[in-house]
Amino acid sequence: MDTIPTPRTPGRWRFYRAVWRWHFYAGLFVLPFIAWLALTGAAYLYQKPIDRWVHHDLKVVAPSPQAPALPSAQIAAVTALSPGDVFRYTTSERTDGSVEIGVLRPNRQREVYYVDPTTTQVLGHLPDKGTFSGVVRRLHSLDLLGDYASALIEIAAGWAILLVLTGLYLWWPRGQKGGITTVRGQPRQRLFWRDLHAVTGVWVGLVLLFLAVTGMPWSVVWGKQVNAWANGQDYGYPAGVRVQVPMSQQRLADATSPTWSMEQARLPASALPHAHHADAEKHDGHEGHGGGALGDLSPQPGAIGIDAAVQRFNRLGLTPGYSVALPRGPLGVYTASVYPEDVAGQRVVHLDQYSGRVLLDMGYADYGALGRGLEWGINVHLGQEYGTFNRLFLLVACAAIVMLCVSGAVMWWKRRPLGGIGVPPLPKERRTVAIVFALLCVGGVLFPLVGVSLLVVGVLDFVASGGWRTPGPSRN
């Protein structure tokens, strides 16, 4: 049988049991989530090659020596087949790739049409974010669970942080000869699974900690609060936003899918070529609200048009594969955005829809220190920043995280008592449990939803254990 390592002092032993109890609760709640996130995250690491394979007929075209047709001709080919308003035009990232044209249908559904850039042949269409990688990302973010998904992600990430920190404390060598860097026993023994869990966890736990922290920006409470706090500050919000140009009430997130730190960024306003300020103010006050409504997408008199806008973006040197969000209303702008694998290549450019003048041109270098740090962490989290190495490292880490979850489940199954769930025993002094619980609650202040869940579990554990009292005699 395996044994729990015995520390040299009773005090350390009491804390070991208290920490073990909370490590058990953390694992009980989040191991299924962690395994799910690891599996879906591993698939998302290779989103582009998988999408090209799954949607080959839509995304891949025969390279042609001829120059691509004008964007307006490509858009006309789509609108001839599908009624609706075009809200986004995405250039091809590769010479053998199709262009993507987003259409808002009369029923308010968003569709993406794939077009051969040279022949303007419409290859087919999918719902917006309906590619294989789009579905995997929705599965990974638990969007299929509805409005509560972001809350679950925040709680799971917070408990994963707790799981890692308590696990490192339990792993810390206390005189034992095995289970630190080596695995003892045989697969039929719990000792084998305990050591496998500990040895795997000690190195992959740091990766899991990084993924949990860098996944927090997408959460519903902590993420939004930090985003709002970072935006509008020199250390977070892109410095290039604070320029002397009129700003509208429209936000970048209403028109495209920006980086996390840019979700609250407001769009500049085009200068009207004639005096229709009342009409402009009406559009400015209502567009972009109501669940991400796109507003008036009809072409405005005097606008330069998509062809001139794309030519201007090309001359500015944007990385191929950039998306252009079309203007919304008389104050709208042409917005080009691109987020390549190298975070330093991120860029957003806004053009006045009438004059073609650059109103705003910002990139990663314009972000504050906090914004750069957060975006770098997100890029590494997505497996993009360091190319093949980043993806392979995270792929191995995802496999190890799944192994961590499996070994933890097997270890629990082998030690659980009949008719019970096998909660680790309390130390003799209930003050020890209270101290550990109070320390955990400090982290709950930083992550509010996690803190609420900690209080709920703590109260239930306190009541169920009769006030954290050990029911029988203890050798400790």
Side-chain angles (χ1 to χ4, degrees):
M1 293 177 63
D2 55 314
T3 58
I4 299 174
T6 304
R8 297 177 181 176
T9 64
R12 291 179 65 187
W13 174 251
R14 290 196 297 269
F15 276 105
Y16 186 97
R17 283 197 167 184
V19 172
W20 182 23
R21 192 175 181 89
W22 278 100
H23 184 75
F24 171 83
Y25 284 138
L28 186 68
F29 298 143
V30 302
L31 280 187
F33 283 102
I34 292 175
W36 175 259
L37 293 174
L39 291 170
T40 53
Y44 192 74
L45 290 172
Y46 293 90
Q47 53 169 312
K48 289 183 179 179
I50 292 176
D51 271 354
R52 278 178 61 87
W53 177 66
V54 174
H55 307 291
H56 186 275
D57 293 343
L58 299 178
K59 286 186 165 287
V60 181
V61 300
S64 173
Q66 299 179 2
L70 292 173
S72 59
Q74 299 164 1
I75 290 174
V78 170
T79 55
L81 295 177
S82 173
D85 295 316
V86 174
F87 67 89
R88 186 176 66 232
Y89 174 86
T90 303
T91 64
S92 175
E93 187 176 353
R94 302 168 52 140
T95 57
D96 63 345
S98 59
V99 297
E100 301 177 13
I101 298 173
V103 175
L104 182 66
R105 304 286 295 275
N107 61 1
R108 312 307 291 173
Q109 295 296 316
R110 300 187 187 191
E111 299 281 339
V112 175
Y113 286 77
Y114 299 84
V115 180
D116 187 312
T118 303
T119 66
T120 70
Q121 177 187 357
V122 178
L123 306 174
H125 65 92
L126 290 171
D128 191 24
K129 300 180 182 178
T131 60
F132 177 83
S133 64
V135 173
V136 170
R137 184 158 189 167
R138 291 182 64 201
L139 292 172
H140 183 72
S141 60
L142 305 180
D143 277 353
L144 296 180
L145 297 180
D147 296 337
Y148 299 102
S150 295
L152 288 174
I153 287 290
E154 182 168 346
I155 294 172
W159 279 86
I161 295 172
L162 187 156
L163 188 70
V164 172
L165 296 180
T166 55
L168 288 174
Y169 176 85
L170 297 176
W171 167 86
W172 195 261
R174 293 175 176 82
Q176 68 268 34
K177 298 180 180 179
I180 304 300
T181 58
T182 59
V183 178
R184 301 165 292 180
Q186 301 296 325
R188 58 185 175 81
Q189 297 175 300
R190 178 178 173 265
L191 176 64
F192 171 87
W193 293 99
R194 181 266 174 204
D195 284 3
L196 180 63
H197 185 76
V199 173
T200 303
V202 72
W203 78 266
V204 80
L206 298 178
V207 181
L208 179 57
L209 184 64
F210 173 82
L211 293 175
V213 172
T214 54
M216 276 289 188
W218 287 287
S219 62
V220 66
V221 174
W222 188 90
K224 286 187 177 180
Q225 291 301 318
V226 172
N227 191 295
W229 172 64
N231 276 271
Q233 305 293 336
D234 290 338
Y235 49 75
Y237 204 88
V241 168
R242 289 181 292 279
V243 293
Q244 297 304 315
V245 297
M247 302 299 289
S248 72
Q249 295 302 314
Q250 299 174 7
R251 297 194 180 275
L252 184 60
D254 296 331
T256 185
S257 299
T259 61
W260 175 81
S261 62
M262 292 295 299
E263 287 182 349
Q264 301 298 322
R266 289 166 57 192
L267 297 179
S270 291
L272 290 171
H274 44 73
H276 288 302
H277 297 289
D279 184 55
E281 290 177 1
K282 178 183 70 174
H283 280 85
D284 185 48
H286 292 86
E287 288 175 3
H289 299 283
L294 291 175
D296 181 12
L297 289 164
S298 58
Q300 299 297 314
I304 61 174
I306 185 65
D307 295 337
V310 170
Q311 289 176 8
R312 183 79 167 114
F313 291 132
N314 288 336
R315 287 197 299 270
L316 290 171
L318 271 76
T319 304
Y322 65 85
S323 293
V324 180
L326 276 63
R328 294 172 290 139
L331 292 180
V333 294
Y334 288 100
T335 298
S337 57
V338 63
Y339 305 101
E341 290 197 349
D342 182 1
V343 72
Q346 292 183 2
R347 195 173 174 191
V348 177
V349 181
H350 304 292
L351 298 182
D352 186 297
Q353 67 169 308
Y354 305 107
S355 66
R357 181 169 63 94
V358 177
L359 300 177
L360 220 58
D361 186 348
M362 53 191 168
Y364 181 74
D366 299 312
Y367 300 176
L370 178 62
R372 289 196 298 270
L374 289 168
E375 289 300 334
W376 175 86
I378 290 172
N379 232 37
V380 175
H381 182 110
L382 295 174
Q384 298 178 168
E385 184 60 19
Y386 302 110
T388 300
F389 170 79
N390 197 166
R391 285 186 285 272
L392 286 176
F393 180 84
L394 288 183
L395 184 64
V396 173
C398 286
I401 289 171
V402 173
M403 175 60 71
L404 189 68
C405 296
V406 170
S407 58
V410 173
M411 181 175 59
W412 164 76
W413 185 262
K414 285 181 174 293
R415 70 169 291 275
R416 82 196 194 291
L418 293 177
I421 62 172
V423 179
L426 286 163
K428 184 176 182 179
E429 295 185 9
R430 62 178 180 176
R431 181 181 60 180
T432 305
V433 186
I435 292 173
V436 173
F437 179 61
L439 291 174
L440 295 177
C441 286
V442 173
V445 174
L446 298 176
F447 305 107
L449 284 182
V450 181
V452 171
S453 64
L454 273 171
L455 287 175
V456 171
V457 176
V459 169
L460 292 176
D461 188 50
F462 182 84
V463 172
S465 62
W468 287 329
R469 294 179 183 277
T470 305
S474 172
R475 58 175 177 151
N476 302 302

